Structure formats: structure tokens, C-alpha cells
Amino acid sequence: MKTAICPGSFDPVTLGHMDIINRARKLFDHTIVAVLVNPEKHTAFTVEERINMLERCTRAMDDVEVVGFDGLIADYARIRDAAAIVKGLRAMSDFEYEFQMALFNKKLNPELETVYLNTTAENMFLSSSGIKQVACFGGDISNFVPECILQDIEQRLCAGGKRK
């Protein structure tokens, strides 16, 4: 069985994230969505909330597992016997960063491959930070996030850029 890991902060989950997860499922037998704790990022949602949102978004996907993870993804991939890391790319700037990370991961775990999936044109502009900004100012984010978590995001963020 070929396993892939889709790592990310998912703060919050976007339709772009869901597109990459669904496409990874077509390539691999088992997809682990790893919610990473990144000390450099200030998150709007706790890791537990992000895991919960992803579990709700992937509830009907028997071949998807959602986990929290803190540490090196190369080590976690070895522990889980994952063949690949799957990353979505929106722009050349994404590629530069992800290419560097892939080289680190390959050095740390020579058996691990990185697979890049280009985003679809309709998701190319989506980012979690952009969605949070739109939501904070009262904008409509219903076309950017899965419907099952829309209310969670709207309740956390409010118009005027202030947190509830």
C-alpha cells in the first residue's frame, strides 16, 4: 500500500487544500493529512480545532487519515512508511520554498519523494491568510472554504479585524 502525507498548517482549511487532498487520493492508496505545529506561524485556530475541521471535511473519505504532527516531516514519513509528501503549488514563489524543503527532506530521508500538484486555476489565489483577512473584514468566504466549516471560521473571525 502506497501512503502519502499532505502536510500543512490548514489555518483554516480551504477549497484549495481539499482539491490537493482529493487529487492525492487518486495517486495513493492512503493519504495522511498532517496538521503541523509551526512555531513561526501565529494561528487563528488551535491544532485540535484544525484537526477537527479537517476530519469533518474528510469524513466520507475512508482512505484519508487526519493527524496532528510536531517535528520533522521526514522523520514522521519514515515512521508511517510513507512513500511521498504531496504539496500543492500556486505560484513560482511556492515552488522555490517547497523545492528547498524537498531537498532537506530527501537528505533526511532518502526513500521519501516529494510530489507537487499544481493548483487548479479557480484555486490559484486561495490562501488561508487571505481567507482570514477577508473574514475579519466581514467579506463573504463561502466560495473559498468547505461549507461544513464555514460557520466555525465566521464565528472565530469578525468584521473590523477584531477577534471575538
Side-chain angles (χ1 to χ4, degrees):
M1 178 166 74
K2 290 284 185 187
T3 298
I5 299 176
C6 289
S9 56
F10 304 103
D11 185 49
V13 182
T14 71
L15 292 178
H17 291 134
M18 294 308 301
D19 177 56
I20 297 299
I21 292 166
N22 273 307
R23 290 165 57 204
R25 293 174 60 218
K26 294 176 184 175
L27 300 172
F28 296 92
D29 302 312
H30 182 69
T31 303
I32 300 168
V33 180
V35 180
L36 300 176
V37 176
N38 184 343
E40 294 179 10
K41 284 191 175 186
H42 175 72
T43 59
F45 297 91
T46 67
V47 68
E48 294 82 10
E49 289 170 324
R50 290 179 278 150
I51 290 169
N52 177 273
M53 285 190 281
L54 274 161
E55 286 175 340
R56 290 180 0 228
C57 292
T58 61
R59 185 165 290 157
M61 303 174 192
D62 293 337
D63 53 348
V64 173
E65 175 185 1
V66 180
V67 300
F69 177 71
D70 184 12
L72 294 173
I73 197 69
D75 290 340
Y76 186 68
R78 186 179 293 112
I79 292 166
R80 295 302 306 267
D81 196 30
I85 294 173
V86 175
K87 296 296 292 188
L89 297 177
R90 293 173 295 192
M92 282 304 293
S93 57
D94 285 349
F95 177 76
E96 291 174 29
Y97 173 78
E98 295 300 345
F99 183 71
Q100 183 180 20
M101 292 292 90
L103 293 174
F104 271 114
N105 289 328
K106 190 70 167 170
K107 198 69 159 168
L108 295 169
N109 182 347
E111 301 300 312
L112 186 62
E113 298 296 338
T114 299
V115 175
Y116 300 110
L117 297 176
N118 295 329
T119 60
T120 57
E122 61 266 19
N123 294 324
M124 188 169 264
F125 68 96
L126 288 181
S127 69
S128 293
S129 57
I131 288 169
K132 286 186 285 192
Q133 186 173 18
V134 170
C136 279
F137 288 102
D140 180 9
I141 59 168
S142 62
N143 291 317
F144 310 142
V145 300
E147 184 178 344
C148 64
I149 63 169
L150 176 61
Q151 190 172 4
D152 296 73
I153 299 165
E154 290 177 337
Q155 286 177 349
R156 175 63 50 91
L157 304 172
C158 66
K162 298 177 192 165
R163 295 252 168 109
K164 284 186 178 180

